[in-house]
């Protein structure tokens, strides 16, 4: 009997729970635990299956996590709470002998800075304990790394240029809303941009570099260079890469709101005193912005995320390659009650846990997704609602 523990009951947690429940031959028992138990209960009720139970936990506290793990004895925990909880959950996994998977790398709450070093430092301890930790298994990071591993395994002798391109061409009808947790999202995109070239990291001002890129079934959209965490592991795992960049689309309206939010200090993570109590402006902002989970009702259009890679094929000839998935907000909502950004994150998290539980991705230690065999994962993407497409020797525009 396999048991999975899902921590976090937000937009992504909702999708993970739905998809695990659809695959009950692998996920025989499902526990959903989060800070606010009523949110877990609402997800369990919407799914309506008897193999789902719920619980409460504050995942900032290792002792509470240890008690939760001892009570439920899961085989693997899927961490879809916030990046702030990654290390406490990994600590509890080590203490209780539980395997681990997440979708975002650790970020300290008081410093808008993310990198893998904090989690890679757990490698030896997971290895010694015989436990597998799978890092960054959403779409990007996640499928972006699996796509790259698939390209390397089947098509390229040497990958030279990698561009991960992420377009959300959906329209939710709101003046300003983020597609996943607003605090994490705004922290990410207001940081300086960064890309890798010839062995060095090059820093840019936020949104300094941009150009229109054409997305399948969508058309041209202005795309902005951002730093994104999977670049850090991909350039290490594929040393032939000369340049690696990440691009994301934003509308003008979104960028204008973002600029105003920053200019008036609402994106700040520094605590301030307000009427005798300490508040963090960005956390207050999160409380007044639309809840990304509830954007689904009127969300139209699709996302398109993929990898554009060029280099030499297995015979040494020039090759350009584009692999991508398009995902519809409407279809995601019909299936899980939430929009495509949550869907494209939650489905791969479920597949990663499925890979572990079916013995395909079991390697003690702490690993990024591209270190595992991409083939069984790619097969499941097609079956679980995220079909992918390839284009050979087209114009990558980059
Ligand atoms: P939400 O804010 O919607 O949900 C987060 C959930 O975690 C909430 O249920 C929240 O509980 C819970 N939580 C927060 N803090 C704690 C805590 N201390 N203890 C227990 N539970 C806690 O976030 P999303 O669903 O939008 O995002 C989830 C994760 O997915 C994030 O880490 C995000 O970075 C990642 N992500 C990854 C992507 C990828 O492609 N790789 C893309 C999009 C998101 P409460 O309701 O009480 O606040």
């Amino acid at each position: 009997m396999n048991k999975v523990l899902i921590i976090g009951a937000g937009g992504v947690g909702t999708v993970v729970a739905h998809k695990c429940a659809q695959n009950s031959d692998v996920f025989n028992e499902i526990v959903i635990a989060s800070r606010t138990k009523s949110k877990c209960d609402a997800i369990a009720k919407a799914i309506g299956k008897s193999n789902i139970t719920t619980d409460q936990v504050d995942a900032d506290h290792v002792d509470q996590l240890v008690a939760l793990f001892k009570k439920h004895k899961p085989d693997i925990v899927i961490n879809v709470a916030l990046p702030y909880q990654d290390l406490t959950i990994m600590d509890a996994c080590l203490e209780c002998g539980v395997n681990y998977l997440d979708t975002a790398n650790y970020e300290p709450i008081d410093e808008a800075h993310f990198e893998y070093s904090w989690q890679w430092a757990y490698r030896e301890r997971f290895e010694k304990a015989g436990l597998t930790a799978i890092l960054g298994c959403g779409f990007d990071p996640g499928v972006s790394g699996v796509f790259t591993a698939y390209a390397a395994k089947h098509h390229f002798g040497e990958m030279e240029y990698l561009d991960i391109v992420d377009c959300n061409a959906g329209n939710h009808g709101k003046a300003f809303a983020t597609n996943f947790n607003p605090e994490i999202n705004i922290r990410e995109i207001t940081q300086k941009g960064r890309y890798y070239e010839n062995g060095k990291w090059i820093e840019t001002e936020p949104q300094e570099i941009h150009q229109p890129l054409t997305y399948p079934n969508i058309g041209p959209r202005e795309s902005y260079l951002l730093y994104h965490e999977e670049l850090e592991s991909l350039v290490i795992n594929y040393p032939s890469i000369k340049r690696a960049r990440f691009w994301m689309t934003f509308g003008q309206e979104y960028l204008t709101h973002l600029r105003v939010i920053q200019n008036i200090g609402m994106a700040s993570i520094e605590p301030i005193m307000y009427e005798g109590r300490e508040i963090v402006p960005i956390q207050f902002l999160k409380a007044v912005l639309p809840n990304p989970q509830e954007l689904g009702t009127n969300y139209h259009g699709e996302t398109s995320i993929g990898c554009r890679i060029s280099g030499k094929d297995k015979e040494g000839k020039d090759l350009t390659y584009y692999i991508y998935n398009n995902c519809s907000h409407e279809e995601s909502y019909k299936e899980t009650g939430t929009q495509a950004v949550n869907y494209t994150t939650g489905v791969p998290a479920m597949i990663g846990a499925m890979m572990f539980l079916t013995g395909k991705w079991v390697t003690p230690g702490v690993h990024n997704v591209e270190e595992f065999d991409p083939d069984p994962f790619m097969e499941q993407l097609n079956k679980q609602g995220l079909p992918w497409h390839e284009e050979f020797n087209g114009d990558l525009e980059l």
Side-chain angles (χ1 to χ4, degrees), residues 7-14 33-37 39-40 43 56-61 64-65 79-86 88-89 102-105 107 136-144 166 178-185 188 228-230 286 291-293 305 339 341-342 344-346 348:
I7 301 184
V12 179
T14 300
S34 192
R35 189 166 49 190
T36 312
K37 184 172 176 288
K39 292 191 185 174
C40 309
I43 298 172
Q56 197 276 333
V57 71
D58 184 340
D60 287 325
H61 301 284
Q64 289 194 28
L65 288 161
N79 167 17
V80 280
L82 299 181
Y84 316 135
Q85 283 86 46
D86 288 3
T88 45
I89 298 176
D102 68 27
T103 66
N105 67 7
E107 185 172 339
C137 197
F139 206 105
D140 44 345
V143 177
S144 53
D166 178 332
T178 63
N179 291 293
F180 67 98
N181 183 287
E183 185 181 337
I184 305 298
N185 189 208
E188 173 179 303
H228 226 241
E229 63 202 57
E230 63 266 53
K286 175 186 184 244
N291 177 354
Q293 213 177 323
I305 317 175
Q339 34 85 355
V341 176
N342 292 323
T344 53
T345 311

Side-chain angles (χ1 to χ4, degrees), residues 5 7 33-35 55-72 88 92 95-96:
L5 168 62
I7 301 184
S34 192
R35 189 166 49 190
D55 214 326
Q56 197 276 333
V57 71
D58 184 340
D60 287 325
H61 301 284
V62 179
D63 55 339
Q64 289 194 28
L65 288 161
V66 167
L68 181 81
F69 290 5
K70 284 190 174 155
K71 180 173 162 192
H72 295 287
T88 45
E95 198 165 327
C96 302

Side-chain angles (χ1 to χ4, degrees), residues 135-155:
L135 303 186
C137 197
F139 206 105
D140 44 345
V143 177
S144 53
V146 175
F147 280 172
T148 307
Y150 186 80
K153 180 172 175 182
H154 295 286
H155 303 307

Side-chain angles (χ1 to χ4, degrees), residues 37-172:
K37 184 172 176 288
S38 57
K39 292 191 185 174
C40 309
D41 293 336
I43 298 172
K45 190 168 167 223
I47 297 172
K49 288 206 174 159
S50 59
N51 62 341
I52 307 177
T53 48
T54 62
D55 214 326
Q56 197 276 333
V57 71
D58 184 340
D60 287 325
H61 301 284
V62 179
D63 55 339
Q64 289 194 28
L65 288 161
V66 167
L68 181 81
F69 290 5
K70 284 190 174 155
K71 180 173 162 192
H72 295 287
K73 301 188 174 50
D75 297 286
I76 186 164
V77 55
I78 301 182
N79 167 17
V80 280
L82 299 181
Y84 316 135
Q85 283 86 46
D86 288 3
L87 301 186
T88 45
I89 298 176
M90 289 176 84
D91 283 330
C93 282
L94 284 170
E95 198 165 327
C96 302
V98 177
N99 299 282
Y100 175 86
L101 179 143
D102 68 27
T103 66
N105 67 7
Y106 175 69
E107 185 172 339
I109 194 158
D110 52 359
E111 192 191 338
H113 173 78
F114 49 87
E115 60 176 53
Y116 279 117
S117 62
W118 286 292
Q119 290 181 279
W120 285 344
Y122 282 68
R123 270 179 187 148
E124 218 174 288
R125 278 174 284 164
F126 269 77
E127 220 170 272
K128 276 202 186 126
L131 296 171
T132 300
I134 303 169
L135 303 186
C137 197
F139 206 105
D140 44 345
V143 177
S144 53
V146 175
F147 280 172
T148 307
Y150 186 80
K153 180 172 175 182
H154 295 286
H155 303 307
F156 282 91
E158 268 198 12
M159 292 189 292
E160 293 173 336
Y161 300 97
L162 166 68
D163 286 280
I164 299 167
V165 293
D166 178 332
C167 171
N168 180 3
N171 183 3
H172 46 55

